[in-house]
Amino acid sequence: MTVDMTGKTVAITGASRGIGAAAARSFADAGANVVLMARDREAIASLAGEIGAAALAVPCDVTRYWEVETALAAAVKTFGRLDVLVNNAGVIDPIAAIAAADPEAWGQAIDINLKGVFHGVHAAIPLILDSGGGTIITVSSGAAVNALEGWSAYCSSKAGAKMLTACLHREMGDKGIRALGLSPGTVATDMQREIKASGVNAVSQLDWTDHIPPEWPAKALVWMCGPEADRWLGDDVSLRDPAVRAAVGVGG
Ligand code: NAP
């Protein structure tokens, strides 16, 4: 499977490491211009340097609407259009029982994982429509539909983000916006290192070799921009599904 992204502009939140950084490389390999958004300005500048002229690094905290709006405007100013937004930025913290969780930290997870997605969607809609329509993908999780001990902030935020994808499809699916989520399974990134260190719930007990490499969801995100993924519009694509892996071309 290859989806040709030549001439397209793809903005990716949380592009400083992990799945987001791998996605930036995959979209650039597919021919796209990529806009790298994250708080770690050195990491995104370094990745943009590696990718070359097809990459623009824009420091951005997704909890601040005006920063997201400014970053996406910079994407259009630099590359002339916006075709795809990947809402990938996310955090697992706070890992804590509901009774013990710090309310500020709990709210911060919602601000990043749910409000941050709304910020991206809201700012991207008019820009994507101006470009003739496109795709908004949100990186989801099995935690959106499964309650896990100690992960109430993460599970609640991911469930909310999954519903936002469904609402976006309901409102804009017939107006030129393809809305989809990607549930990747467990991926070998810093987030899984944090989970392992916590020792909380069954996910922390997984062996490191159980996790897939970030290049797999990165390839899936490119594939989801093509018509083969249309049957999942408004819903999550699961990369645990062997048929999806085969279509994407990962996992042997
Ligand atoms: P990661 O390596 O920890 O990367 C998280 C990314 O999110 C970083 O680039 C980080 O950049 C960015 N981020 C965090 N807060 C941000 C903010 N306020 N504004 C902008 N960017 C922010 O984790 P990952 O595994 O690649 O996670 C990527 C996505 O996949 C997340 O949505 C996660 O929930 C989802 N996911 C991961 C797994 C897994 O097993 N790893 C499984 C299912 C779903 P800065 O710190 O530079 O801002």
Side-chain angles (χ1 to χ4, degrees):
M1 170 293 322
T2 43
V3 173
D4 184 10
M5 299 296 295
T6 305
K8 306 285 188 195
T9 303
V10 180
I12 303 160
T13 69
S16 56
R17 59 179 187 267
I19 295 169
R25 293 188 180 98
S26 283
F27 276 109
D29 285 348
N33 294 314
V34 290
V35 181
L36 316 177
M37 299 157 65
R39 295 167 303 179
D40 185 339
R41 55 179 65 226
E42 281 181 20
I44 53 174
S46 161
L47 180 55
E50 174 197 315
I51 292 171
L56 173 71
V58 190
C60 173
D61 182 334
V62 297
T63 67
R64 301 189 181 122
Y65 178 69
W66 66 94
E67 290 193 15
V68 175
E69 192 178 38
T70 303
L72 295 182
V76 173
K77 191 161 185 241
T78 303
F79 297 120
R81 52 188 298 120
L82 181 68
D83 301 280
V84 178
L85 170 67
V86 179
N87 290 304
N88 164 76
V91 293
I92 189 74
D93 280 336
I95 298 176
I98 297 169
D102 170 49
E104 284 293 322
W106 205 95
Q108 178 70 6
I110 301 296
D111 284 352
I112 297 170
N113 296 358
L114 177 54
K115 274 174 72 181
V117 173
F118 168 78
H119 291 160
V121 169
H122 183 73
I125 285 173
L127 304 177
I128 292 178
L129 292 180
D130 277 354
S131 304
T135 301
I136 298 180
I137 305 174
T138 297
V139 180
S140 185
S141 169
V145 291
N146 292 299
L148 283 146
E149 184 196 345
W151 286 17
S152 64
Y154 188 71
C155 293
S156 302
S157 62
K158 288 295 185 185
K162 184 176 190 294
M163 180 53 78
L164 190 53
T165 292
C167 290
L168 178 61
H169 174 63
R170 178 62 57 93
E171 291 184 13
M172 302 296 300
D174 59 355
K175 297 181 181 68
I177 303 281
R178 299 172 70 253
L180 296 147
L182 173 65
S183 181
T186 64
V187 188
T189 67
D190 286 356
M191 185 175 282
Q192 283 297 340
R193 282 184 197 94
E194 279 182 62
I195 290 166
K196 184 151 253 340
S198 75
V200 172
N201 81 40
V203 184
S204 73
Q205 303 306 312
L206 293 173
D207 194 84
W208 196 254
T209 55
D210 293 331
H211 306 317
I212 62 171
E215 288 72 24
W216 292 15
K219 280 189 182 165
L221 289 164
V222 177
W223 173 80
M224 287 168 70
C225 292
E228 281 186 46
D230 279 354
R231 56 179 274 220
W232 285 277
L233 290 175
D235 205 351
D236 283 354
V237 170
S238 172
L239 197 50
R240 287 188 192 277
D241 179 342
V244 170
R245 288 188 177 188
V248 172
V250 296

